[in-house]
């Protein structure tokens, strides 16, 4: 075979010194063209996975726009070229680069399939979490014809290049593809960073532009994946300067909590909590919510309009703790309410009965000012063998820590996140009497039944905790809220079956899609301090404002930032990273002209608070 191939000059392992320049030029162009064609072909093929479970017309939509097509294919070519530069062989470069492109595309496919959440650049720093979730037994990986087709083409392309582009580049020769790689990246970078170009993509005939996931899918995979890099390194808003933001903040003065109003606060974020009794679903037995409704009747309650749906727990969690409406990477101490309360003499700690490395909570919780945090490792793993430890262990542990803190003489702040109600929810019989009757699929009936069973168990544990706190002589307030709605089938299929409106183009659908509930409850000792019962319906707010709602109820002014956000909350109670706002009580996708200056101040203050740590002496 080798002797036969050597007779064709294009297929030789290397050039002959006696060849004329034109022949050598054609030889090298041939090898480069083959590798480029293979990379482009693979780039088009992996776009089949970007479509996910949506119609093939979405894929054709990619190809109708040359820039969308190029911006999705180019990263695949770059990966192939980078591997070629490293290994020096065309077939090896195509196989390694193509395998990386295929792997990333599969990761995005399954992340959307199971969590309705696309793969972002920042997820590359959470691979351990992704592997752990995949190995948990809650997700069943599968192979479809598109995956088999791509795998077959990857292998076929590797074999063809091994025959048609033989030989190996010497180290000096690799400078040419390296230079091409650098020039290509430099030329393409401005296109990936062009916000107007990204927003101009029109591929929404079968997708919902207001859905973060579907908006991502409309752009393909590699294009939005590379575009997401810009969110990894935070770019300050136009016109921002630290001096300007500091001047805005200086209009307010930090306020201490009066010694006689230092009330302990226990906050519990509930995984995927939703009150399905609010959606009028035919045939759904919602009687189990009666206990929670009784707790709401003696509390101050409202809707929490989150940035996320069915996944992304840490967004709600960290927006609540920090007061930020959007998150950035946590690599050092960041301003938070935990730091503020510590500056006021509080103990600040909490619990999460799952792995400490999940979302890097073991480090980031400390950056947010939580002095001590209990995890599965060395703690809850000694209480239960459950993959997701039960709230029957978590909530008593929270109460126990509250009691132990009394010996310090310090007021107490606790923030905990449960995990028992984490999805997905079993679509088979778990021994629970069905709670959904009617013309629904078996999977839908079982999923909603098993979901309600687990959250109602938490309601019972919550009621027990409140009964214990009710009789406590120390003034204490309990804050509990959900992080997002639960996963209910791939592509929200069970919501669709039950007739729950998640149409983001409508106001009802938007609020249903992103809203969960919050509850603020005070024991009698706390009510005596604050001077009112703290009941009724509160405002619908973004998670960044929930502490403002609490501070108002407690009569605390808080830090200068808290006071500034308190005023902003009255005008912009909902500020979503999805590009929707509630301004003066009206849902809109654009801030009105007469409020833009105030909104710019909001953005500047948020940027400053997110990046300039102000509690260095705590």
């Amino acid at each position: 075979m080798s002797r036969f191939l050597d007779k064709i000059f294009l297929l030789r392992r290397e050039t002959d010194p006696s060849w004329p320049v034109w022949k050598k030029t054609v030889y090298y162009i041939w090898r480069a063209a083959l590798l480029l064609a293979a990379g482009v072909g693979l780039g088009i093929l992996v776009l089949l996975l970007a479509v996910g479970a949506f119609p093939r017309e979405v894929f054709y939509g990619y190809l109708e726009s040359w820039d969308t097509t190029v911006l999705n294919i180019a990263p695949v070519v770059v990966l192939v070229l980078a591997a070629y530069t490293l290994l020096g062989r065309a077939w090896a470069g195509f196989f390694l680069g193509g395998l990386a492109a295929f792997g990333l595309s599969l990761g995005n496919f399954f992340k959307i399939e199971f969590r309705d959440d696309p793969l972002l650049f920042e997820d590359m720093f959470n691979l351990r979490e992704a592997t752990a979730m995949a190995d948990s037994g809650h997700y069943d990986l599968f192979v479809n014809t598109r995956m088999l087709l791509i795998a077959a083409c990857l292998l076929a392309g590797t074999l063809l290049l091994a025959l048609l582009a033989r030989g190996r580049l010497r180290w000096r020769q690799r400078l040419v593809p390296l230079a091409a790689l650098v020039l290509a990246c430099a030329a393409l970078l401005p296109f990936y960073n062009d916000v107007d170009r990204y927003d101009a993509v029109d591929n929404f005939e079968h997708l919902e532009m207001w859905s973060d996931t579907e908006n991502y899918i409309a752009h393909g995979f590699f294009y939005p994946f590379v575009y997401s890099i810009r969110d990894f390194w935070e770019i300050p808003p136009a016109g921002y300067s630290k001096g300007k933001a500091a001047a805005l903040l200086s209009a307010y003065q930090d306020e201490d909590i009066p010694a006689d109003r230092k009330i302990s606060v226990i906050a519990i974020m509930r995984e995927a909590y939703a009150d399905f009794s609010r959606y009028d679903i035919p045939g759904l037995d919602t009687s189990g919510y009666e206990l929670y409704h009784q707790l709401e009747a003696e509390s101050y309650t409202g809707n929490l309009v989150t940035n996320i749906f069915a996944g992304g727990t840490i967004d709600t969690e960290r927006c609540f703790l920090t007061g930020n409406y959007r998150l950035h990477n946590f690599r050092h101490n960041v301003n938070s309410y935990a730091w503020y309360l510590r500056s006021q003499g509080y103990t600040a700690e909490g619990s999460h009965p799952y792995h400490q490395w999940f979302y890097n909570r073991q480090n980031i919780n400390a950056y947010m000012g939580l002095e001590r945090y209990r995890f599965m490792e060395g703690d809850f793993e000694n209480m239960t063998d459950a993959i997701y430890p039960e709230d029957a262990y978590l909530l008593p542990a929270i109460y126990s820590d509250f009691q132990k803190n009394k010996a310090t003489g310090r007021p107490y702040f606790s923030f905990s996140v449960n995990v028992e109600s984490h999805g997905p929810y079993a679509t088979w019989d778990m021994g629970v009497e069905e709670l959904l009757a009617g013309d629904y699929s078996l999977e839908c009936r079982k999923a909603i039944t098993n979901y309600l069973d687990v959250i109602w168990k938490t309601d019972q544990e919550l009621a027990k905790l409140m009964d214990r706190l009710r009789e406590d002589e120390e003034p204490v307030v309990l804050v509990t809220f959900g992080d997002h709605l639960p996963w209910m089938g791939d592509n929200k299929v069970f919501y669709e079956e039950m007739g729950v409106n998640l149409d983001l183009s409508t106001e009802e659908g938007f609020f249903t899609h992103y809203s969960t509930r919050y509850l603020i409850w005070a024991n009698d000792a706390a009510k005596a301090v604050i001077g009112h019962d703290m009941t009724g319906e509160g405002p619908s707010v973004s998670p960044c404002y929930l502490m403002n709602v609490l501070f108002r109820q407690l009569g605390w002014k808080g830090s200068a930032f808290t006071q500034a956000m308190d005023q902003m909350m009255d005008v912009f109670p909902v500020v979503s990273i999805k590009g929707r706002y509630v301004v003066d009580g009206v849902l809109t996708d654009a801030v009105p002209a007469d409020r833009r200056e105030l909104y710019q101040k909001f953005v500047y203050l948020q940027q400053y608070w997110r990046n300039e740590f102000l509690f260095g002496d705590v």
Side-chain angles (χ1 to χ4, degrees):
M1 176 66 76
S2 179
R3 289 182 179 180
F4 172 76
L5 294 175
D6 285 340
K7 292 180 180 180
I8 305 173
F9 84 94
L10 290 175
L11 306 185
R12 291 187 57 158
R13 293 183 182 276
E14 56 186 0
T15 60
D16 190 308
S18 65
W19 286 356
V21 173
W22 72 264
K23 200 170 187 178
K24 292 180 180 179
T25 302
V26 171
Y27 175 85
Y28 285 118
I29 290 177
W30 163 259
R31 292 160 65 96
L34 282 178
L35 190 61
L36 181 62
V40 169
L42 185 64
I44 294 173
L45 281 174
V46 294
L47 267 174
L48 291 169
L49 293 177
V51 176
F54 289 94
R56 284 177 297 177
E57 284 73 15
V58 178
F59 170 76
Y60 301 140
Y62 302 145
L63 305 181
E64 290 173 359
S65 171
W66 73 267
D67 52 349
T68 301
T69 305
V70 169
L71 293 173
N72 273 290
I73 294 173
V76 180
V77 176
V78 166
L79 285 172
V80 169
L81 193 60
Y84 178 48
T85 302
L86 177 67
L87 302 175
R89 295 185 184 275
W91 69 266
F94 175 71
F95 181 75
L96 181 61
L99 192 63
F102 187 24
L104 288 169
S105 298
L106 281 175
N108 179 64
F109 177 89
F110 284 118
K111 193 164 185 271
I112 292 175
E113 183 76 12
F114 296 134
R115 300 298 296 158
D116 192 43
D117 186 29
L119 187 70
L120 303 176
F121 179 76
E122 65 183 69
D123 293 325
M124 295 297 95
F125 297 86
N126 294 315
L127 292 179
R128 185 178 181 184
E129 288 89 330
T131 303
M133 294 300 289
D135 292 341
S136 67
H138 288 267
Y139 302 99
D140 295 322
L141 300 180
F142 57 88
V143 176
N144 60 27
T145 53
R146 282 178 285 172
M147 298 174 193
L148 291 174
L149 172 65
I150 296 169
C153 289
L154 178 62
L155 292 175
T158 301
L159 291 174
L160 283 173
L161 285 169
L163 290 172
L164 304 179
R166 300 189 301 154
R168 182 174 185 174
L169 290 179
R170 297 184 180 92
W171 285 107
R172 288 183 180 180
Q173 292 174 318
R174 297 182 194 188
L175 293 176
V176 175
L178 178 61
L181 179 66
V182 172
L183 290 173
C185 291
L188 289 168
L189 187 59
F191 292 93
Y192 287 105
N193 198 39
D194 189 336
V195 178
D196 292 335
R197 182 182 298 275
Y198 190 86
D199 291 342
V201 168
D202 183 16
N203 190 19
F204 292 100
E205 184 177 353
H206 303 280
L207 297 164
E208 173 53 67
M209 69 179 298
W210 294 116
S211 166
D212 197 46
T213 297
E214 294 183 32
N215 190 299
Y216 187 103
I217 292 170
H219 292 78
F221 164 56
F222 277 104
Y223 179 15
F225 176 77
V226 177
Y227 181 81
S228 72
I229 296 175
R230 67 191 306 277
D231 294 324
F232 187 72
W233 285 282
E234 187 170 23
I235 301 174
Y240 172 82
S241 72
K242 288 198 296 185
K244 188 182 298 184
L248 290 173
L249 196 61
S250 68
Y252 308 88
Q253 296 296 320
D254 292 336
E255 295 281 350
D256 291 331
I257 301 172
D260 60 350
R261 298 186 72 87
K262 289 187 175 179
I263 297 170
S264 290
V265 177
I266 295 176
I268 303 172
M269 190 177 78
R270 298 181 60 173
E271 171 66 38
Y273 178 77
D275 185 347
F276 277 101
S277 70
R278 303 172 67 86
Y279 304 144
D280 192 26
I281 300 171
L284 181 63
D285 179 0
T286 59
S287 59
Y289 280 108
E290 291 178 3
L291 175 59
Y292 188 77
H293 293 162
Q294 291 172 13
L295 302 179
E296 284 191 314
E298 55 178 293
S299 307
Y300 189 71
T301 61
N303 289 323
L304 194 66
V305 187
T306 70
N307 290 321
I308 53 178
F309 174 85
T313 294
I314 55 168
D315 189 277
T316 303
E317 171 182 347
R318 292 170 184 170
C319 285
F320 166 73
L321 281 172
T322 64
N324 293 317
Y325 84 104
R326 68 163 63 244
L327 300 182
H328 189 48
N329 296 296
F330 296 87
R331 298 179 179 176
H332 47 70
N333 288 345
V334 293
N335 296 314
S336 73
Y337 285 98
W339 282 113
Y340 170 75
L341 290 170
R342 283 178 62 177
S343 76
Q344 301 299 302
Y346 278 67
T347 297
E349 59 184 26
S351 300
H352 178 53
Y354 201 56
H355 297 293
Q356 60 188 9
W357 46 258
F358 201 61
Y359 289 120
N360 196 19
R361 283 188 175 98
Q362 61 184 342
N363 294 314
I364 292 176
N365 284 2
Y367 296 153
M368 291 190 295
L370 295 163
E371 305 166 81
R372 169 179 170 266
Y373 221 79
R374 300 173 65 171
F375 294 102
M376 177 180 283
E377 288 85 354
D379 205 318
F380 291 96
E381 66 183 357
N382 299 322
M383 305 178 192
T384 175
D385 294 329
I387 295 175
Y388 296 149
E390 302 91 334
D391 293 327
Y393 297 101
L394 172 62
L395 272 66
I398 293 171
Y399 179 75
S400 175
D401 288 343
F402 167 66
Q403 291 298 320
K404 290 177 182 177
N405 182 71
K406 290 181 179 180
T408 68
R410 302 167 65 188
Y412 189 64
F413 173 68
S414 167
F415 174 75
S416 299
V417 180
N418 84 329
V419 72
E420 183 181 7
S421 48
H422 201 290
Y425 311 100
T427 54
W428 54 88
D429 189 356
M430 297 286 287
V432 181
E433 184 178 350
E434 280 194 11
L435 298 170
L436 180 62
D439 188 21
Y440 301 100
S441 67
L442 175 65
E443 291 80 6
C444 178
R445 298 199 310 271
K446 294 302 182 183
I448 188 68
T449 294
N450 292 324
Y451 167 76
L452 292 177
D453 176 63
V454 73
I455 66 162
W456 290 346
K457 287 178 180 177
T458 303
D459 287 346
Q460 294 170 8
E461 295 302 323
L462 187 65
K464 292 177 185 177
L465 174 61
M466 292 167 73
D467 283 341
R468 289 176 170 178
L469 297 174
R470 198 185 310 275
E471 304 302 324
D472 206 289
E473 295 182 357
E474 180 171 333
V476 59
V477 167
L478 176 71
V479 182
T480 184
F481 56 95
D483 57 353
H484 53 67
L485 263 64
W487 176 91
M488 279 292 152
D490 297 341
N491 299 308
K492 312 164 191 173
V493 63
F494 300 153
Y495 285 103
E496 184 177 339
E497 277 196 57
M498 295 185 292
V500 178
N501 180 10
L502 297 179
D503 183 355
L504 290 168
S505 66
T506 67
E507 182 169 331
E508 178 190 11
F510 172 81
F511 283 115
T512 300
H513 194 277
Y514 289 117
S515 294
T516 180
R517 295 288 287 171
Y518 68 80
L519 175 155
I520 304 175
W521 173 91
N523 69 353
D524 290 340
K527 291 176 183 177
V529 172
I530 62 178
H532 62 93
D533 286 341
M534 203 161 69
T535 58
E537 185 73 10
S540 295
V541 295
S542 292
C544 64
Y545 290 124
L546 187 52
M547 277 293 199
N548 290 91
V549 175
L550 172 65
F551 276 36
R552 279 189 180 181
Q553 290 298 305
L554 298 182
W556 297 350
K557 290 187 176 181
S559 68
F561 174 79
T562 303
Q563 295 172 54
M565 289 302 107
D566 204 48
Q567 293 188 3
M568 298 295 178
M569 181 175 67
D570 291 332
V571 181
F572 311 108
V574 174
V575 182
S576 170
I577 62 174
K578 309 304 180 186
R580 307 293 282 274
Y581 316 85
V582 172
V583 184
D584 296 318
V586 178
L587 179 67
T588 177
D589 57 6
V591 176
D594 62 337
R595 290 300 195 184
R596 286 175 190 164
E597 184 178 352
L598 183 63
Y599 181 70
Q600 185 181 57
K601 292 180 180 179
F602 168 85
V603 172
Y604 287 175
L605 287 166
Q606 286 272 324
Q607 177 77 15
Y608 186 80
W609 180 254
R610 217 166 24 248
N611 292 281
E612 307 299 326
F613 185 61
L614 304 178
F615 294 96
D617 56 347
V618 175

